[in-house]
Amino acid sequence: MFQGLELAAVIASAVYGVLLAHRHQMDLVGAYSLALVVSFGGGTIRDLCLDRTPLFWIHHYNYPIVVFAIAVAGSMFPRITHKTEPWLRIPDALGLGLFTIAGVESALAAETSYFIAALFGVITGTFGGVIGDIICNRVPSLFRPAPMFATCAFSGAWLYLLLQAMPGLQRYAVVIATAFIVVFRIAALRYDWRLPHREFQE
Amino acid sequence: MFQGLELAAVIASAVYGVLLAHRHQMDLVGAYSLALVVSFGGGTIRDLCLDRTPLFWIHHYNYPIVVFAIAVAGSMFPRITHKTEPWLRIPDALGLGLFTIAGVESALAAETSYFIAALFGVITGTFGGVIGDIICNRVPSLFRPAPMFATCAFSGAWLYLLLQAMPGLQRYAVVIATAFIVVFRIAALRYDWRLPHREFQE
Amino acid sequence: MFQGLELAAVIASAVYGVLLAHRHQMDLVGAYSLALVVSFGGGTIRDLCLDRTPLFWIHHYNYPIVVFAIAVAGSMFPRITHKTEPWLRIPDALGLGLFTIAGVESALAAETSYFIAALFGVITGTFGGVIGDIICNRVPSLFRPAPMFATCAFSGAWLYLLLQAMPGLQRYAVVIATAFIVVFRIAALRYDWRLPHREFQE
C-alpha cells in the first residue's frame, strides 16, 4: 500500500514538472528533466546529505521509466495534460505528506537530532519544486508569500516525532502524520492560510 | 589515447565556460568558476549520485590547473578566445561523446539498471552546460527547442549498451558509440535536426 | 575559541541570508531557507565532494536551530535587522577567513593536492553566497567585477599552505592566514581593490 501511494506521489510530481516545462516553452528533453528534478530532487538532496546509498530512484529503478512515460505522454498531448491540473491537488498534497514522513524516517535512521530530522522531512517534501523553479529562472514560489506548504510539512514532521515517542500511538504515527499534512495543505489552499508577513521597504 | 581525448574535451568545455562568463560581464573569478562548472559539473553530479570516490577532477588533479590556465588566458585575450568559437564544434561534440560513454560505464560499474546507466550518460555529457546556464540566469538551452544534443547522447548510450551485449563487438563498443554521438551531433547542428515540438498555448 | 569565532561567522552569514530574502519579498520560509543556504551551502558542497560524513551542520546540530532563531527574529523585526547591515562587514570578513581555512584543512585531511585544497578553501568560504544569489535569480555577485572577495580567500589559502610547510610557523598558520584574509578583505572593500577586467564587446 505504501508503494502504491508513493507511486501516486511520484506521478503527481512528474505531471507538475511537465506542466512547468511546457509553461516555459521547453521541449521533451526539458519536460523529462524537469519531471525528474521535481519528483526526485528533494529525496536526492536528502540521500546525498545523509550519505544513503543507493539513491532511492536508483534503487526503485522503474520510477525514472514511469516519469519518462509521463513526459512523453504529456508532450504528445499537452492540452489533456493541462486539463488534469485541477485534479492534481490531492495527489500533490499526498506527495507532500508521504515524502515528508519518508524524509523524517530516513533522517532518524541516520541518527540525526529531531530538529534536523524535521528539516529533512521538509527538504524531501518540498525541494524538488524549489529546484524546478530555479531551473525555470523563477524565484522559488515556496519562498514567497502563498498558502502554507512548507509549514504543513514542518508541523506534520513534528507531529510524527511526537507520536513516535508515545508507546501506544507509535504504530499509527505514519498514517496520522501523513493524513495531518494532507488535510492541513488542502485546508491552507482552500482558506488561503498564510504565514504572517510584512512587506519590506528599504 | 583516451586520456588525450578526454583532455581535449575538458579544454573545449572550459573554453565554452569562459565565453559564457564573458558574455555575462563576469571577471576572472566568474570565468574560472564557470569553466570549472561546465567542465566538471556533469561528472560531479554523476560521481556524487553513484557515490564514487574521489571525484574524477580530484583524482586527475591537474585538470583544475589546466582549466585555471584557460580561464586566465581567456580573460587576458578575450578577442582571440572568442575567435576560437567556430572551431569548438568538433571538440564540443567529442566531449559530448566521451563524457556520455564514460558516464554509462561508471553507472554500469555501480550496477545500475540499463535505463539509469543511459540517464547517467546523458547527465555526464550535458549537465555541466545546464548548471552553467542556471548560474548565468538563463533557462537552460538544453531544455529548449534547438538542434538535438541530449538526444544524441541518449541514443549513443543505448547503442553502447547494445554493443556491450554482443560478444564480437564488445571491444569496439566505446569507439563506435562515441563516434556515433559525435557524427550525430555534428549532423544535427548542420541540418538543424530537432525533436518534434508543439508550442504550448494556455 | 575557534568554536566561538565559527558561531560568529555562522550568525553573520545567516543575517546576510535573511536580508537577501527580505530584499526579494520572501516570507519566513524563504528567509530561513536562504539563511541556511548562505551559512551552510559552501561547507555542504565541500563535505559532499570530499565524502565527509556527517555534514558539519548535522554534526553541530545546534547550528540550524541558531539560524532558525535568526530567521524568526529577522522576520519579526525587519527594520532592526537591516540596520545591522553596516556592522556585518567584520563578522562577514571573519566568516570568509574562518570558513576558507577550515575548507583547506578538510581538503588536506582528505589528501587532495595543494591546488585543490586551495580551491576547496575558496568554495567553502564563498559558495554559500553564490547559491543564495542563484536562488534569488541574480547572476552571482562573486562572479562580477567588485571588490576582491574570492581572491582574498584564494591567496589566504596559499599563505596557509606555505606556512604549513615551515616547521617553525606551522602552529601559527591558522591564526596568521585567517587574519590575512580578514584584513585583505576589509582593505579591498575600503579601497575598492578589484581584479583587472576588460569589458567584453561582441
Side-chain angles (χ1 to χ4, degrees):
Chain A
M1 166 151 175
F2 179 79
Q3 289 294 319
L5 290 175
E6 193 180 54
L7 191 61
V10 166
I11 291 172
S13 306
V15 173
Y16 177 82
V18 171
L19 296 179
L20 194 63
H22 286 176
R23 289 229 172 77
H24 290 81
Q25 274 72 48
M26 293 181 179
D27 66 2
L28 177 60
V29 176
Y32 185 36
S33 299
L34 269 192
L36 282 176
V37 161
V38 172
S39 305
F40 303 149
T44 301
I45 293 179
R46 173 201 63 199
D47 286 352
L48 292 177
C49 285
L50 296 174
D51 204 22
R52 283 160 57 90
T53 275
L55 299 189
F56 77 106
W57 54 269
I58 295 180
H59 181 71
H60 295 286
Y61 52 81
N62 285 323
Y63 285 2
I65 300 176
V66 170
V67 174
F68 187 67
I70 291 169
V72 170
S75 296
M76 287 173 68
F77 310 107
R79 303 188 121 252
I80 296 172
T81 314
H82 281 260
K83 280 194 183 133
T84 65
E85 194 164 21
W87 304 94
L88 287 178
R89 283 188 173 193
I90 288 169
D92 233 29
L94 189 70
L96 182 67
L98 290 166
F99 283 154
T100 299
I101 302 305
V104 177
E105 282 189 326
S106 310
L108 288 180
E111 302 189 345
T112 68
S113 71
Y114 287 150
F115 188 84
I116 284 176
L119 274 191
F120 273 109
V122 178
I123 289 170
T124 310
T126 66
F127 269 43
V130 168
I131 311 176
D133 281 343
I134 292 172
I135 291 176
C136 289
N137 214 356
R138 314 197 303 173
V139 173
S141 58
L142 186 76
F143 299 166
R144 306 295 285 268
M148 290 179 184
F149 191 69
T151 311
C152 309
F154 194 61
S155 49
W158 280 107
L159 176 62
Y160 175 79
L161 291 167
L162 191 75
L163 293 171
Q164 278 291 8
M166 297 182 174
L169 292 169
Q170 210 170 334
R171 49 201 292 209
Y172 307 114
V174 170
V175 174
I176 297 176
T178 305
F180 171 82
I181 293 173
V182 173
V183 172
F184 189 176
R185 168 59 181 165
I186 289 173
L189 268 179
R190 176 73 185 75
Y191 301 107
D192 198 28
W193 291 342
R194 290 156 186 258
L195 287 178
H197 176 66
R198 296 194 208 162
E199 204 61 35
F200 173 71
Q201 300 287 345
E202 204 144 2
Chain B
M1 160 146 180
F2 179 78
Q3 289 294 320
L5 289 175
E6 193 181 53
L7 191 62
V10 166
I11 291 173
S13 306
V15 174
Y16 177 82
V18 172
L19 297 179
L20 195 63
H22 287 175
R23 290 227 171 79
H24 290 81
Q25 274 72 47
M26 294 182 178
D27 67 1
L28 177 59
V29 175
Y32 184 37
S33 300
L34 270 192
L36 282 176
V37 161
V38 172
S39 304
F40 302 149
T44 301
I45 294 180
R46 173 202 62 200
D47 285 352
L48 292 177
C49 285
L50 294 175
D51 204 21
R52 283 161 56 90
T53 276
L55 299 189
F56 77 105
W57 53 270
I58 295 180
H59 181 71
H60 295 286
Y61 52 83
N62 286 325
Y63 285 1
I65 299 176
V66 169
V67 173
F68 187 66
I70 291 170
V72 171
S75 295
M76 287 173 67
F77 310 107
R79 302 188 122 253
I80 295 171
T81 315
H82 280 260
K83 280 194 182 132
T84 65
E85 194 164 23
W87 305 93
L88 287 177
R89 284 189 174 193
I90 288 169
D92 233 29
L94 188 70
L96 182 68
L98 290 166
F99 284 154
T100 299
I101 301 305
V104 176
E105 282 188 327
S106 309
L108 288 180
E111 302 190 344
T112 68
S113 72
Y114 288 149
F115 188 85
I116 284 176
L119 275 191
F120 273 108
V122 178
I123 289 171
T124 309
T126 65
F127 269 43
V130 169
I131 311 176
D133 280 344
I134 292 172
I135 291 177
C136 288
N137 214 356
R138 315 197 301 174
V139 173
S141 58
L142 186 76
F143 298 166
R144 307 292 287 268
M148 288 179 185
F149 191 70
T151 310
C152 309
F154 194 62
S155 48
W158 280 107
L159 176 62
Y160 175 79
L161 291 166
L162 192 73
L163 293 171
Q164 279 290 9
M166 296 182 174
L169 291 169
Q170 211 169 336
R171 49 200 294 208
Y172 308 113
V174 171
V175 174
I176 296 176
T178 305
F180 171 83
I181 294 174
V182 173
V183 172
F184 188 176
R185 168 61 181 164
I186 289 173
L189 269 178
R190 175 75 186 73
Y191 302 106
D192 197 29
W193 290 342
R194 291 157 185 257
L195 286 179
H197 176 65
R198 295 193 209 164
E199 206 59 37
F200 173 70
Q201 300 287 344
E202 203 143 5
Chain C
M1 161 147 182
F2 178 78
Q3 289 294 319
L5 290 175
E6 192 181 54
L7 192 61
V10 166
I11 291 173
S13 307
V15 174
Y16 177 82
V18 171
L19 296 178
L20 194 63
H22 287 176
R23 289 227 172 79
H24 290 82
Q25 275 70 47
M26 292 182 180
D27 67 1
L28 177 59
V29 176
Y32 185 36
S33 299
L34 269 192
L36 283 177
V37 161
V38 173
S39 304
F40 302 149
T44 302
I45 293 179
R46 174 201 62 199
D47 286 351
L48 292 177
C49 285
L50 295 175
D51 204 21
R52 284 160 55 90
T53 274
L55 298 189
F56 77 105
W57 54 269
I58 295 180
H59 182 70
H60 295 285
Y61 53 84
N62 286 324
Y63 284 3
I65 299 176
V66 170
V67 174
F68 186 67
I70 291 169
V72 170
S75 296
M76 288 173 67
F77 310 108
R79 303 189 120 250
I80 296 172
T81 315
H82 281 260
K83 282 196 181 130
T84 65
E85 194 164 21
W87 305 93
L88 288 178
R89 283 189 174 193
I90 288 169
D92 232 29
L94 189 69
L96 182 67
L98 290 165
F99 283 154
T100 300
I101 302 305
V104 177
E105 282 188 327
S106 310
L108 288 180
E111 303 190 341
T112 67
S113 71
Y114 287 148
F115 188 85
I116 284 176
L119 274 191
F120 272 109
V122 178
I123 289 171
T124 309
T126 65
F127 269 42
V130 169
I131 310 177
D133 280 343
I134 293 172
I135 291 176
C136 288
N137 214 356
R138 313 197 303 174
V139 173
S141 58
L142 185 76
F143 299 166
R144 307 293 287 267
M148 288 181 186
F149 191 71
T151 310
C152 309
F154 194 62
S155 49
W158 280 107
L159 175 63
Y160 175 80
L161 291 167
L162 192 74
L163 293 171
Q164 279 290 8
M166 298 181 173
L169 291 169
Q170 209 170 338
R171 50 200 293 209
Y172 307 113
V174 171
V175 174
I176 296 176
T178 305
F180 171 82
I181 294 174
V182 173
V183 172
F184 188 177
R185 168 60 181 163
I186 290 173
L189 268 179
R190 176 75 185 75
Y191 301 106
D192 198 28
W193 291 341
R194 291 157 185 257
L195 287 178
H197 175 65
R198 296 192 207 164
E199 204 60 37
F200 173 72
Q201 300 287 345
E202 203 143 3

